[in-house]
Amino acid sequence: MACSDERFDIVVVGAGPVGLSFAASLAQSELKVAVVEQQSLERLADPAFDGREIALTHASIRILREIGAWDAIPASDKSPIQGARVLNGSSAFALCFDPPSGSGEPLGVLVPNCRIRDALFKIVRSHDHARLLCGHSVVDATNSHKGAVMTLSDGRQLTARLLVAADSRLSATRDLLGIGANINRLGNSMLICRVRHERVHHQIAVEWFDHHQTVAMLPLMEGVSSLLLTLRSNEADKLLAFDDDLFLTELTNRCQGRLGNMTLTSNRHSYPLVTTWAHQFWAPSAALIGDAAIGMHPVTAHGFNIGLSGQKQLAHRILTACRDRRDIADPDMLYRYESWLRLSAAPLYYATNLLVRLYSGEHPAARLARHAGLRFGQYLPFVRHGISTMLRR
């Protein structure tokens, strides 16, 4: 039997930004929470720059502000997106997304992933409600309507009324719970780096679907952008192995000089692209949040926003159950959480997958269809305004 200090109301597996935000969302409650993370406490407390810039919607900014994380992120790490352009191949035509006239607000804000993690970690660490169990993984888990029992890699056993998996789109905890998932390994990788460049970006993000590659240029501080290049994984690996001079030459050629001359201002990072959709988002005394539930393709930059809104919904339902003195793992409550997440995320998830298939296809019909699609969207204002409104929610 587990010792008394190994009993918790909730155990969260995974201290990524969604797992930490969930723990932070419960900070004002009396619930006893544990967060289990494979990384060491030192690495969690000082997250390294990993290349990823998170495009936050206004809804996500509100959530981060509510839990105290937004104001903890330095203003110098917040880069507004004043507009977005979508390009196809060598065509000069662009589908444009801009904030509504007179709104005075950007479409969204780019923030480095590591800065979000750092702010959330400090919030969780500052509250007594959560205990961080770092340097350990969950090697076994059983769940029933009576609760969940987990065994850690050091042999310790934890018990909880509710187990919450937030440990990536290839979640080992999800597997231990017996929850299947549609996992699509795309065979592509995203290569990311920061570059300083001679041309002005005007805080406009650019997504360029070219033949056999996708390029995204995300505006950061003046004269600096985050450059994302999506290629077949073997091509990305070759580029990653180039020295800096050869890499920059290749990058400039692939971008067709759109940013002018460039210099590297960060290390290069590469991530294989995998999308996931769990068959269920809950089980008896267990729930999935973040990428463990839904792993989005990054082309629409909405994966973290969906994860953040999902954890807020689950946390709100748990806090309401506490207030009403109901079970925090009530099956009806978890089912309603799952239904909400499916309804809110499914349209964007499947539309994104369709978009990726259309814009990565090299058949002449696909090229014609995507060119026509951009013009269709540009000349039907409700399409552009609808997407812009969604980004600003």
Side-chain angles (χ1 to χ4, degrees):
M1 182 175 291
C3 300
S4 60
D5 63 347
E6 308 295 356
R7 295 180 180 274
F8 299 91
D9 296 304
I10 298 173
V11 170
V12 184
V13 183
V18 173
L20 288 173
S21 62
F22 178 68
S25 294
L26 301 173
Q28 303 305 318
S29 72
E30 297 298 321
L31 293 169
K32 187 178 180 182
V33 179
V35 181
V36 180
E37 170 56 42
Q38 293 188 53
Q39 292 188 87
S40 67
L41 183 64
E42 292 73 22
R43 288 190 64 185
L44 204 60
D46 187 21
F49 176 73
D50 62 7
R52 289 178 287 190
E53 311 286 345
I54 308 301
L56 297 170
T57 63
H58 290 272
S60 291
I61 292 170
R62 285 194 295 271
I63 294 171
L64 291 175
R65 183 175 280 119
E66 287 169 6
I67 58 181
W70 182 248
D71 292 334
I73 299 171
S76 58
D77 286 313
K78 300 170 181 175
S79 303
I81 303 173
Q82 298 295 354
R85 306 289 181 263
V86 181
L87 304 169
N88 178 47
S90 59
S91 172
F93 179 81
L95 177 59
C96 302
F97 299 99
D98 297 300
S101 178
S103 69
E105 291 187 328
L107 281 179
V109 179
L110 289 163
V111 179
N113 180 57
C114 60
R115 296 281 69 84
I116 297 173
R117 293 177 65 124
D118 181 54
L120 290 166
F121 172 82
K122 288 174 179 174
I123 290 170
V124 174
R125 191 78 189 275
S126 68
H127 287 281
D128 294 333
H129 84 290
R131 181 177 167 192
L132 289 161
L133 303 176
C134 298
H136 306 292
S137 59
V138 175
V139 297
D140 191 29
T142 59
N143 62 302
S144 69
H145 290 291
K146 295 181 179 180
V149 180
M150 293 131 280
T151 302
L152 302 188
S153 51
D154 64 352
R156 272 185 296 174
Q157 195 173 81
L158 312 180
T159 62
R161 186 67 197 93
L162 182 65
L163 166 61
V164 177
D167 55 338
S168 86
R169 56 192 66 197
L170 300 178
S171 169
T173 308
R174 184 181 64 213
D175 294 340
L176 290 171
L177 292 169
I179 299 176
N182 296 329
I183 300 175
N184 186 15
R185 291 175 171 83
L186 300 174
N188 292 337
S189 292
M190 179 173 284
L191 198 157
I192 311 174
C193 63
R194 282 185 174 186
V195 295
R196 185 173 296 280
H197 46 83
E198 62 179 350
R199 293 187 179 171
V200 180
H201 52 50
H202 300 292
Q203 299 304 135
I204 302 295
V206 177
E207 187 95 28
W208 176 31
F209 295 97
D210 198 17
H211 304 312
H212 303 291
Q213 68 174 18
T214 302
V215 181
M217 305 169 191
L218 306 181
L220 302 177
M221 65 283 291
E222 184 176 350
V224 177
S225 292
S226 176
L227 202 59
L228 294 77
L229 187 62
T230 301
L231 300 164
R232 299 300 296 175
S233 293
N234 59 341
E235 290 186 64
D237 291 342
K238 289 178 183 177
L239 270 180
L240 204 60
F242 287 174
D243 63 38
D244 286 353
D245 290 339
L246 186 55
F247 176 77
L248 282 170
T249 299
E250 180 73 12
L251 208 58
T252 301
N253 290 337
R254 287 180 175 274
C255 295
Q256 295 186 2
R258 290 178 183 272
L259 294 175
N261 293 326
M262 297 184 290
T263 57
L264 283 171
T265 63
S266 77
N267 293 332
R268 292 169 262 169
H269 303 265
S270 181
Y271 298 95
L273 296 183
V274 180
T275 63
T276 57
W277 181 276
H279 297 165
Q280 300 168 241
F281 300 150
W282 74 282
S285 301
L288 310 183
I289 60 174
D291 283 353
I294 301 168
M296 291 279 294
H297 192 287
V299 69
T300 54
H302 262 301
F304 178 66
N305 295 299
I306 288 175
L308 196 60
S309 63
Q311 69 77 26
K312 178 185 177 180
Q313 280 291 322
L314 181 60
H316 172 73
R317 294 169 192 277
I318 289 170
L319 293 174
T320 300
C322 284
R323 184 195 63 200
D324 297 341
R325 299 186 181 279
R326 293 186 285 108
D327 183 7
I328 62 171
D330 174 61
D332 289 339
M333 180 270 286
L334 294 177
Y335 174 77
R336 288 193 296 272
Y337 157 71
E338 177 181 69
S339 298
W340 178 90
L341 186 55
R342 284 186 184 279
L343 287 172
S344 62
L348 187 58
Y349 178 83
Y350 290 108
T352 298
N353 291 347
L354 180 63
L355 180 74
V356 170
R357 287 195 294 271
L358 175 63
Y359 281 87
S360 61
E362 291 300 322
H363 190 277
R367 296 181 189 180
L368 180 62
R370 58 190 181 231
H371 182 71
L374 290 186
R375 290 187 176 273
F376 179 79
Q378 182 68 23
Y379 293 113
L380 287 179
F382 71 85
V383 174
R384 289 184 293 111
H385 295 165
I387 294 175
S388 296
T389 300
M390 180 189 71
L391 293 173
R392 298 179 64 256
R393 280 187 308 184

